[in-house]
Amino acid sequence: MMNTHTSQQYYTELRSLKDRLLAMGGRCEAHIRQALQALEHQDAMLANEVTGTDHQINADELAIDDLAVRILALRQPVGKDLRFLLTALKVVTDLERIGDEAVNIAERAEELSSEPHLPETWRALPEMANAAAAMLHDALDAFVEEDAEKAQSVLEKDDEVDEFYGQVMRKSLEYMAQHSARVKAAMGVVSCAKYIERIADHSTNIAEMVVYMVRGEDVRHRGKK
Amino acid sequence: MLSRLRARVYFTVAAAAALLVGAAWLILGPISHSLHHDAAQLVSYGVVVGAFAILLGVVVSEALIRSLEAPVRDLQRVVTALAAGDQSARIRNVEDDELGELSRTVDRMATQIGARLDAMSAEEAQLRTILDSMVEAVFVTDPEGRIILTNAALQRLAGARVEGRTAVEAIRSPELHDAVALALRGVESSVQIETRMATESRVLAAHISPLPQGSGVVTVLHDVTDLKLADTVRRDFVANASHELRTPLTAIRGFAETLAGGVQDPVLVSRFVGRILEHSVRMQRLVDDLMQLSRAEAPDETFVVEPIDLSTAVARALRSVEAAAAKKRIKLQTDQAIAGVRVLADERALDHVLINLADNGVKYTPEEGSVTVRLRAAEDGWVYIEVADTGGGIAAPHLSRIFERFYRVDPGRSRDVGGTGLGLAIVKHLTQRMGGEVSVESSLGVGTVFRVKLRVARAES
Ligand SMILES: Nc1ncnc2c1ncn2[C@@H]1O[C@H](COP(=O)(O)OP(=O)(O)O)[C@@H](O)[C@H]1O
Ligand SMILES: [Mg+2]
């Protein structure tokens, strides 16, 4: 058995892992927001800022991954802690991918910034991105609160974002049919919608992991009693 | 303690009685031989007296012990009550002996503890009140980074209880996470964070300082979302205004440069000069509107609100759009009810409001339509002046935004008809400066009604 000093240290390590994961999630949310702002204001400089700071998210991923693996190797946790660490390892990859999608949006925003104005179809994007970012936020909330129900509700919101995507797609096709000179710009908007849709997918993955993490714990408790 | 005392007293009394009876027997024994019967009687007397003495001794000592027991019980009750937090407990009967002295000391102590506790809870209540009355959100963490103290503003901001959580669990910001970690190592810092809170995104200016002896961190969060928004609005305005001015300016410069390059063809020359004139008129209009708007918004610009005859003001406004209306064969109509009505308004401001609304009506109504100015009763002392057209109308999502500066439903169309995108912003501000308000109602394909609410002037004034 671990002595109290080591177990205190172990507990601190787990907590620090959780905090770093949440901070990384916050950074992802900020990047999504900035990428959308860059798109809306056709602001190439802000778009560049997102692209230029993605390395922080990558660094977050490496640091968290290292920490999780080190805890796994040294402490050989079981049960709930093991599930938490496995969840963390999965969540961190999804967060990193979300960061990449934000970069993709920023890159399209940079291309679109030289257009005279955005094709009308972009108007659905801020709301769509907001819905996706809310999914990410709620999934991480569920992670903090170990709340399977909240995680479950995130899964349900995925359809909403898919619906948005379908809408943007339809409108963009109509738009391209009428404005043949703006096909490239309209395609940029469609791509952004696709990236946002993938952010929602990654958030769904995170929520699913949280359900696994929490429900597993429930089963163990029931077995004990 | 008392039961031990009681046992000892009983034992002493019993021993004394035994001694007494023993002594009586020793002394009376030899004498009884010589005195026969009488002596035997004497012995039994002695036994009775002895028994009586024992009884008396027990009764007296019991009474004595009881008199001791009451104050001790009292003492015990008071000390127990004090320990349980009842500071009002005091000893009832205080005698003038050692026990009484002890009781008085306990009472004094109780009073002192009570006073100190009162002072402490008053201090705490004061601290709570100060914290809770702060506009800024505050939290304090322990050395492990767990939140142990918050105020009402933080609860409002976070939308949930956050005690026991870490900072980043409560506020999902990497910058705050790093700053708190830094403060736990003794370094003070300030960061600006933008993060999604309970319901929406907020911009927070955070100041994070270490507590003495590494005992934790105190963070003060100032919500600067509105300031940031105001700043964005201002920046957007400057960007928009520059953009609007640059377009005609670029055109003017282009034509002027071509002319300066020596264009000979008189047809071309007159066409270029025509375009230059056209664009400078547009710039003029924009600069006029900007001036107008800045006056409407300037707090030191005075507005003289006095009774104004509405029908003259309306007639003036309609006259100014008469030519444009005639070109599109648009009918301009005035409601009879307006005659004789006087409203409380600044004459120049009212003119601008009516001209802008009439101008929009004519601009955004197709040929053969109509623009009508009419009156409608509002609550006591107020009227609505309505400017209604039979134009294409405005789709619902735009309705809430058309009063923003530079907001246009169709920017290309607005520019083509000589709009600046500032008209309705001017209308809104001027109306507000006169104490009124403006609203809009529209249905697509039917028309739009702008409604200006102003106070009516009393007939005699
Ligand atoms: N009577 C109206 N009918 C339809 N649309 C209107 C009407 N009045 C204003 N609008 C819309 O509101 C926008 C803002 O109006 P305004 O601030 O006066 O600017 P503008 O200079 O473009 O007229 C216009 O561009 C137009 O799209
Ligand atoms: Mg106008």
Side-chain angles (χ1 to χ4, degrees):
Chain A
M1 266 280 95
M2 285 184 237
N3 63 38
T4 44
H5 174 70
T6 334
S7 92
Q8 174 69 32
Q9 206 175 320
Y10 169 59
Y11 168 73
T12 310
E13 282 170 2
L14 284 182
R15 216 192 47 207
S16 145
L17 181 71
K18 193 178 197 179
D19 277 3
R20 280 180 187 212
L21 212 53
L22 292 177
M24 181 180 178
R27 211 188 297 283
C28 288
E29 280 184 50
H31 278 202
I32 299 171
R33 195 165 44 231
Q34 279 171 13
L36 256 291
Q37 261 168 25
L39 183 70
E40 176 169 0
H41 298 293
Q42 299 186 275
D43 185 340
M45 225 155 68
L46 188 58
N48 275 324
E49 205 174 298
V50 175
T51 320
T53 49
D54 184 51
H55 65 88
Q56 289 176 341
I57 290 185
N58 297 339
D60 282 344
E61 188 200 8
L62 289 182
I64 293 169
D65 215 82
D66 271 0
L67 186 57
V69 170
R70 206 167 59 229
I71 299 175
L72 276 173
L74 291 179
R75 314 281 187 193
Q76 306 190 334
V78 289
K80 184 188 157 193
D81 289 351
L82 178 61
R83 268 194 301 280
F84 168 75
L85 284 165
L86 294 178
T87 305
L89 280 171
K90 179 76 177 71
V91 167
V92 82
T93 4
D94 279 309
L95 287 179
E96 196 269 334
R97 300 272 164 74
I98 288 175
D100 288 346
E101 302 297 351
V103 168
N104 285 335
I105 298 173
E107 282 170 359
R108 294 294 87 71
E110 195 184 341
E111 289 165 16
L112 286 165
S113 70
S114 52
E115 294 283 324
H117 59 92
L118 292 175
E120 266 309 296
T121 48
W122 82 274
R123 280 189 191 282
L125 294 186
E127 205 182 332
M128 182 178 176
N130 202 30
M135 283 174 66
L136 171 60
H137 190 86
D138 290 350
L140 291 176
D141 265 350
F143 178 63
V144 175
E145 289 155 22
E146 302 185 5
D147 183 343
E149 259 169 53
K150 194 168 220 167
Q152 202 81 48
S153 77
V154 172
L155 303 181
E156 284 152 23
K157 282 204 201 108
D158 194 34
D159 292 344
E160 217 175 279
V161 175
D162 287 346
E163 175 63 31
F164 264 121
Y165 179 62
Q167 218 173 296
V168 173
M169 195 68 201
R170 271 195 306 280
K171 287 212 176 125
S172 295
L173 286 175
E174 278 170 32
Y175 182 87
M176 286 187 263
Q178 286 166 9
H179 308 78
S180 52
R182 307 216 63 207
V183 168
K184 195 166 158 270
M187 280 313 293
V189 171
V190 172
S191 304
C192 287
K194 183 72 206 160
Y195 303 142
I196 297 171
E197 195 255 336
R198 282 201 218 130
I199 290 175
D201 285 348
H202 288 298
S203 307
T204 309
N205 289 346
I206 295 176
E208 276 167 359
M209 283 306 287
V210 173
V211 173
Y212 156 76
M213 178 179 90
V214 180
R215 290 274 152 85
E217 184 200 352
D218 278 349
V219 171
R220 195 190 65 164
H221 273 255
R222 234 174 283 144
K224 261 189 191 169
K225 275 168 198 168
Chain B
M1 172 197 125
L2 281 179
S3 52
R4 248 182 293 154
L5 188 62
R6 176 177 285 137
R8 253 175 88 174
V9 169
Y10 287 174
F11 185 75
T12 313
V13 169
L19 262 170
L20 210 70
V21 173
W25 189 75
L26 271 176
I27 297 165
L28 294 179
I31 303 174
S32 69
H33 274 288
S34 50
L35 294 179
H36 304 291
H37 280 329
D38 287 350
Q41 214 168 11
L42 211 65
V43 169
S44 56
Y45 267 142
V47 169
V48 169
V49 169
F52 188 73
I54 290 174
L55 199 67
L56 193 74
V58 166
V59 169
V60 169
S61 60
E62 182 63 33
L64 252 163
I65 287 169
R66 290 237 165 147
S67 78
L68 212 66
E69 200 171 20
V72 170
R73 280 261 157 78
D74 210 23
L75 206 63
Q76 190 185 19
R77 174 186 61 80
V78 170
V79 173
T80 312
L82 283 177
D86 174 14
Q87 296 156 37
S88 64
R90 290 292 182 277
I91 292 160
R92 278 191 225 105
N93 309 307
V94 182
E95 303 276 335
D96 224 355
D97 51 10
E98 292 92 332
L99 215 52
E101 189 52 42
L102 182 60
S103 302
R104 266 191 294 276
T105 312
V106 168
D107 270 359
R108 248 195 324 276
M109 202 176 75
T111 310
Q112 275 167 10
I113 291 176
R116 202 162 310 158
L117 282 178
D118 281 350
M120 264 165 71
S121 66
E123 224 164 86
E124 196 190 289
Q126 199 177 21
L127 188 68
R128 257 273 61 97
T129 315
I130 293 173
L131 274 176
D132 284 346
S133 66
M134 280 174 73
V135 185
E136 291 86 0
V138 176
F139 69 80
V140 179
T141 75
D142 65 10
E144 302 279 287
R146 299 235 159 231
I147 295 173
I148 49 172
L149 180 73
T150 62
N151 68 347
L154 186 80
Q155 303 287 5
R156 274 196 301 276
L157 187 68
R161 291 188 63 83
V162 295
E163 276 92 350
R165 300 234 162 131
T166 58
V168 74
E169 282 177 344
I171 298 168
R172 210 70 60 68
S173 151
E175 294 84 4
L176 185 66
H177 174 252
D178 295 349
V180 169
L182 211 61
L184 283 171
R185 278 180 270 130
V187 184
E188 183 166 345
S189 64
S190 289
V191 284
Q192 195 177 83
I193 58 186
E194 190 174 348
T195 182
R196 178 189 293 269
M197 294 309 293
T199 47
E200 55 195 343
S201 255
R202 311 298 302 171
V203 185
L204 307 170
H207 189 82
I208 305 98
S209 2
L211 287 173
Q213 279 117 39
S215 59
V217 163
V218 57
T219 300
V220 179
L221 298 152
H222 188 56
D223 192 334
V224 293
T225 314
D226 294 344
L227 278 175
K228 183 94 187 295
L229 190 70
D231 195 48
T232 311
V233 167
R234 187 189 55 78
R235 252 202 316 241
D236 283 358
F237 177 72
V238 173
N240 272 323
S242 326
H243 179 76
E244 295 288 333
L245 283 169
R246 196 178 52 193
T247 317
L249 192 60
T250 313
I252 289 171
R253 184 169 163 188
F255 290 122
E257 271 170 4
T258 318
L259 284 177
V263 178
Q264 300 301 329
D265 185 353
V267 179
L268 270 186
V269 168
S270 86
R271 190 193 293 166
F272 283 7
V273 171
R275 297 305 293 272
I276 289 175
L277 197 62
E278 206 176 285
H279 282 293
S280 44
V281 167
R282 187 170 150 197
M283 279 183 81
Q284 179 78 56
R285 205 158 34 214
L286 187 65
V287 172
D288 285 349
D289 274 0
L290 282 171
M291 296 286 289
Q292 190 61 213
L293 184 64
S294 106
R295 263 207 299 275
E297 287 182 343
D300 54 354
E301 180 79 12
T302 47
F303 286 80
V304 186
V305 175
E306 55 190 358
I308 305 288
D309 182 55
L310 194 53
S311 54
T312 354
V314 169
R316 257 199 311 269
L318 291 184
R319 210 171 308 129
S320 78
V321 298
E322 222 166 41
K327 228 184 265 172
K328 293 169 79 180
R329 292 182 302 284
I330 288 173
K331 246 194 292 174
L332 298 175
Q333 299 165 323
T334 314
D335 182 0
Q336 284 309 308
I338 285 178
V341 173
R342 294 195 304 164
V343 291
L344 288 176
D346 177 284
E347 185 161 22
R348 255 171 30 116
L350 181 61
D351 275 355
H352 284 304
V353 167
L354 294 173
I355 289 171
N356 267 307
L357 292 179
D359 175 59
N360 278 352
V362 171
K363 271 198 310 204
Y364 300 110
T365 298
E367 297 196 346
E368 314 277 350
S370 69
V371 174
T372 309
V373 183
R374 57 192 189 211
L375 206 66
R376 231 181 50 148
E379 69 251 35
D380 201 26
W382 296 80
V383 279
Y384 289 117
I385 307 162
E386 292 186 343
V387 181
D389 63 50
T390 58
I394 304 165
H398 299 292
L399 278 182
S400 60
R401 301 202 56 189
I402 52 172
F403 292 100
E404 290 172 20
R405 308 135 157 172
F406 293 119
Y407 189 87
R408 297 140 152 157
V409 176
D410 181 346
R413 168 138 188 249
S414 160
R415 278 191 205 102
D416 288 347
V417 292
T420 60
L422 291 174
L424 288 177
I426 295 171
V427 167
K428 180 179 135 193
H429 280 102
L430 288 177
T431 315
Q432 282 172 355
R433 292 301 292 269
M434 294 187 288
E437 54 194 54
V438 59
S439 57
V440 61
E441 205 176 288
S442 185
S443 59
L444 278 181
V446 179
T448 306
V449 183
F450 283 93
R451 201 166 281 145
V452 176
K453 187 174 155 190
L454 286 175
R455 255 191 308 257
V456 261
R458 289 268 167 76
E460 315 85 63
S461 57

